[in-house]
Amino acid sequence: MSRRLVLASAALLLIAGAASAQERQVRLAPSDIQGLSQGGATAGTSGVTGIRTTVLYGDPTKAGPYTIALKVPPNTHIAAHGHRDDRTAIVVGGVWRFGYGRKADEALVKVLPPGSFYSEPAGVEHFAMTGPEGAVVYISGYGPTSTDYVEAADAPKP
């Protein structure tokens, strides 16, 4: 290969890498997030009816980092389940009642107001619920993710 071809190839790789980094730059104000497409309980969520999901970054169905926003309606109960990826979350609105365990037990719940942080380690079962105020939670992980219910009967039906 000629030296000129090697240099041109290296330059193209640098340009492609720079474009990729630029494409990964995301800045979203609350009004921007509200304008994004919202879906139902999609990949990375519990699948419970009524939950609205917005993908803020990446794609939870593909390899790579992702962040999703969950808007969980009032008085929602999410049965014990786990995910195959390590995840972290921040409560940004309402009150999230979150616990670790193979069964949704209110005695194991910690009440998490806005500004709270928690983790969902890969394969560790957990559950959540909301009260009358509902909750908004941002969850980040490294996909592809999954949702695996402890009891198959608890998994929401499509």
Side-chain angles (χ1 to χ4, degrees), residues 21-155:
Q22 194 170 26
E23 290 171 0
R24 292 190 310 261
Q25 295 174 357
V26 178
R27 292 173 284 188
L28 300 171
S31 59
D32 299 325
I33 293 169
Q34 288 178 348
L36 293 174
S37 173
Q38 292 187 3
T42 61
T45 73
S46 61
V48 172
T49 301
I51 293 176
R52 305 299 298 165
T53 305
T54 303
V55 176
L56 301 175
Y57 182 82
D59 183 341
T61 66
K62 297 180 179 170
Y66 67 88
T67 300
I68 56 177
L70 302 182
K71 185 174 183 182
V72 186
N75 305 309
T76 298
H77 288 7
I78 301 170
H81 64 280
H83 308 279
R84 69 183 185 186
D85 58 320
D86 287 317
R87 297 153 46 117
T88 58
I90 297 172
V91 179
V92 297
V95 177
W96 192 233
R97 292 157 174 86
F98 184 86
Y100 298 105
R102 294 185 54 80
K103 183 179 182 201
D105 179 350
E106 289 197 42
L108 300 174
V109 165
K110 180 162 186 159
V111 175
L112 301 173
S116 298
F117 173 89
Y118 68 94
S119 66
E120 298 176 0
V124 173
E125 290 87 6
H126 55 275
F127 56 91
M129 52 194 77
T130 59
E133 62 286 302
V136 177
V137 181
Y138 289 3
I139 299 174
S140 295
Y142 194 91
T145 191
S146 66
T147 301
D148 309 301
Y149 276 86
V150 170
E151 299 291 333
D154 290 336

